[in-house]
Amino acid sequence: MIGAIVRDNIVETLIVLDEAQIEELQTALACEIVDARPYGLTAGDLRTGAGWTRNAGGEQMILPLLEQEQYDSYSIAAAKVVELEKAQETIADETAAEALAILNGEVEV
């Protein structure tokens, strides 16, 4: 689990821990530990009456609750790989088109 160390409703840092350790660590660190994954919490996020918020450009935006597959590390990694592969195909296609245009004299070098 990725736990957010929370003091005074502010996320101070993130740690990786076993859920069985939460109570012990909360006592030892004198803090609250919450699961950071459902909201994608990071240091500096603030819990308000409206929910978890993050400062974005000087304004507090409310963080949406993510679906399990959105914060599951495997799903996130797999989505990034697919995105990079698509970008790589696009770059290869553009490069090939540009090379053909140069060879055909359509573009000056």
Side-chain angles (χ1 to χ4, degrees):
M1 165 182 163
I2 299 172
I5 304 292
V6 179
R7 288 194 182 95
D8 297 322
N9 292 316
I10 299 174
V11 176
E12 290 186 355
T13 191
L14 302 177
I15 61 172
V16 177
L17 70 149
D18 186 310
E19 289 185 35
Q21 299 173 302
I22 292 175
E23 190 174 317
E24 176 185 354
L25 286 171
Q26 288 182 136
T27 302
L29 299 173
C31 67
E32 176 186 3
I33 298 176
V34 299
D35 189 349
R37 299 172 298 169
Y39 290 96
L41 296 176
T42 189
D45 289 345
L46 174 68
R47 182 173 44 205
T48 67
W52 285 102
T53 65
R54 178 174 295 148
N55 186 313
E59 293 187 36
Q60 289 299 110
M61 63 176 217
I62 297 173
L63 299 176
L65 179 63
L66 304 174
E67 297 294 326
Q68 173 73 30
E69 59 271 4
Q70 289 179 300
Y71 65 80
D72 173 63
S73 60
Y74 176 80
S75 297
I76 291 170
K80 285 182 181 178
V81 167
V82 169
E83 182 180 324
L84 290 172
E85 286 174 348
K86 285 181 183 178
Q88 193 173 25
E89 289 173 14
T90 301
I91 291 169
D93 290 344
E94 289 171 356
T95 303
E98 182 180 0
L100 283 173
I102 291 169
L103 290 172
N104 292 330
E106 298 168 6
V107 176
E108 291 186 27
V109 181

